Amino acid sequence: MVKIEFPGLLIERLPSGQVRYRVRVEGNKRKRIRIKAVPGNPDFTEQYFAARAGIEPGNTVAPEARAIPRSINWLRFKYLAAMEDLVKNELMSPDTLKQRRSFLVRLANEYGDYSIDMPPEKLIEYRDSMASTPGAADNMVKTIRAMYVWAIERGICDLNPAATVGKINPGKGGAKPWTIEDLKKFKQAHPPGTTAHLALTLFMFTACRISDAVRLGRRNEIEIDGVRAIRWQPKKKGSAEVIIPMMPPLYRASRAANVLGETYLLTDYGKPFKSPEGLRNRMSKWCDQAGLKGLSSHGIRKATGHLLAHEGCTQYQIMTIHGHTQAKTSEVYTQGVERWRLAADAMRKLEGMDW
């Protein structure tokens, strides 16, 4: 990788023996701006490029002006600013932005002052250095790939260094589906009337994601042909709107809560959860209290899919409940069940054979 130099940086040694750093303003060699940070100081790069752009210390500077032009740090600032606009317009989840920002800060700490023309082999080397946390390593590559896709679409660069970089995390099949016994143990530890029981019932009878569970409430209830239903648009990008009947267990659990609020699920202070992460942490504690370590709310969503399949629901019915827009996403729940039904039907045709 090529590290970019600092043109226009003047290092002046004063009679006192002290060193002073000044920067020639680009396009105006006569104007020089003094900066106080020295090389190696975390503020040096920001002060240098602000001065290079003619901005005096203390004045507001655009994020990308804090970094070396066409460096990874420069691209990071531009990309994150664009992502923030998407979040404002509800075209991206705040959680996605938070995760990508975290990974890009980590990347910038390592390679921020290097050119955006990152060789794939350098990215592979960086990915492999994170092998102790393979999930994070793969998410880092995924974030970098998304940033370069954005940059290429806007003519900022031509090549995506992450385009051919593969995963190193073998994966464990994602969240573990809950069993009937798991559900019983949770309900025994958290009886009706508790927030934990309501959360379990909400996840089980809506198959919603945790990003939606923190938002759902009575305002989502509607009536269709005399049947009470719940209607919502999932937060996950690309999901279809979900409209499903409100089953009696969920209706009873939602009305059994001691405190009613804007959402079904409330904190100990009677307020909606501020983020999915808050509910995720609370759900983890509830599972621990029930002796169910290693389980998560997403595992309930998976359990619902498997139970629906075993009860004879088609792939497309499960798609409707889960908000999937592609059949292959719901196929994971029906594939094994449907293969068994086909095999059983085929074998029955042999029953009458004269053997």
Side-chain angles (χ1 to χ4, degrees):
M1 294 181 69
V2 178
K3 195 164 186 176
I4 302 174
E5 301 299 329
F6 297 91
L9 177 65
L10 305 175
I11 305 173
E12 303 170 343
R13 188 170 296 278
L14 304 177
S16 63
Q18 294 182 326
V19 175
R20 179 173 67 184
Y21 293 89
R22 293 199 296 167
V23 179
R24 288 195 185 98
V25 175
E26 190 170 13
N28 185 358
K29 293 184 178 181
R30 293 185 178 182
K31 185 175 181 180
R32 301 174 181 184
I33 295 176
R34 182 181 178 183
I35 59 177
K36 295 183 178 181
V38 300
N41 185 295
D43 296 329
F44 174 77
T45 301
E46 179 177 342
Q47 291 187 17
Y48 165 79
F49 280 104
R52 190 75 170 144
I55 301 171
E56 297 287 346
N59 291 346
T60 302
V61 54
E64 58 265 32
R66 302 173 191 168
I68 300 170
R70 299 193 63 74
S71 67
I72 288 176
N73 226 355
W74 174 83
L75 179 59
R76 169 177 73 105
F77 283 127
K78 293 180 75 68
Y79 176 63
L80 288 176
M83 298 304 99
E84 288 168 0
D85 286 340
L86 290 178
V87 170
K88 288 178 183 177
N89 292 309
E90 298 185 350
L91 297 174
M92 174 180 280
S93 164
D95 293 332
T96 300
L97 173 61
K98 181 180 178 181
Q99 183 189 58
R100 290 186 182 179
R101 179 182 284 116
S102 174
F103 281 122
L104 292 176
V105 166
R106 189 170 174 177
L107 175 70
N109 288 338
E110 191 78 23
Y111 298 115
D113 291 341
Y114 287 82
S115 167
I116 61 175
D117 298 321
M118 187 182 203
E121 55 268 26
K122 178 58 67 173
L123 179 53
I124 292 171
E125 177 185 312
Y126 184 43
R127 179 205 64 186
D128 292 348
S129 72
M130 299 172 63
S132 60
T133 54
D138 288 343
N139 282 330
M140 170 67 82
V141 173
K142 182 179 177 181
T143 296
I144 294 171
R145 185 182 297 117
M147 179 172 70
Y148 275 89
V149 166
W150 175 87
I152 291 170
E153 285 180 346
R154 286 152 185 82
I156 295 174
C157 58
D158 298 320
L159 299 176
N160 189 333
T164 58
V165 177
K167 295 182 177 182
I168 60 172
N169 184 21
K172 298 179 181 179
K176 180 182 176 183
W178 290 43
T179 65
I180 296 297
E181 288 304 313
D182 294 332
L183 297 171
K184 287 180 179 179
K185 286 183 68 174
F186 192 94
K187 288 193 292 181
Q188 288 171 356
H190 305 289
T194 63
T195 304
H197 182 275
L198 174 55
L200 176 71
T201 309
L202 181 65
F203 285 122
M204 192 65 205
F205 288 93
T206 64
C208 67
R209 296 182 181 87
I210 200 163
S211 56
D212 298 320
V214 295
R215 302 183 300 121
L216 292 181
R218 293 197 184 193
R219 61 189 172 186
N220 296 98
E221 296 178 14
I222 60 173
E223 191 170 299
I224 303 175
D225 297 331
V227 177
R228 187 182 298 272
I230 303 179
R231 176 180 185 175
W232 78 93
Q233 175 61 51
K235 292 287 285 184
K236 185 172 182 179
K237 184 179 178 182
S239 296
E241 183 183 47
V242 177
I243 307 175
I244 57 175
M246 186 174 193
M247 303 305 290
L250 177 55
Y251 179 82
R252 290 194 298 268
S254 66
R255 270 53 180 180
N258 294 324
V259 180
L260 301 179
E262 181 181 346
T263 57
Y264 292 132
L265 301 180
L266 303 173
T267 66
D268 293 339
Y269 300 98
K271 302 291 184 181
F273 284 88
K274 290 184 178 180
S275 69
E277 195 60 36
L279 178 56
R280 185 176 288 111
N281 292 336
R282 178 60 61 182
M283 193 71 192
S284 178
K285 290 181 180 179
W286 290 332
C287 287
D288 289 348
Q289 291 167 359
L292 298 170
K293 291 185 179 294
L295 295 183
S296 67
S297 61
H298 201 71
I300 305 173
R301 178 177 166 87
K302 281 192 169 185
T304 304
H306 289 303
L307 288 171
L308 289 170
H310 279 283
E311 289 300 317
C313 291
T314 68
Q315 186 173 319
Y316 296 99
Q317 287 174 317
I318 296 174
M319 283 176 62
T320 303
I321 293 171
H322 278 183
H324 293 156
T325 55
Q326 296 184 5
K328 65 180 182 181
T329 313
S330 297
E331 184 180 5
V332 65
Y333 302 116
T334 61
Q335 191 173 43
V337 176
E338 289 181 353
R339 286 178 66 87
W340 164 250
R341 289 195 185 113
L342 289 171
D345 288 343
M347 294 304 292
R348 288 192 193 101
K349 297 182 185 302
L350 302 178
E351 289 179 348
M353 285 184 62
D354 184 10
W355 187 253

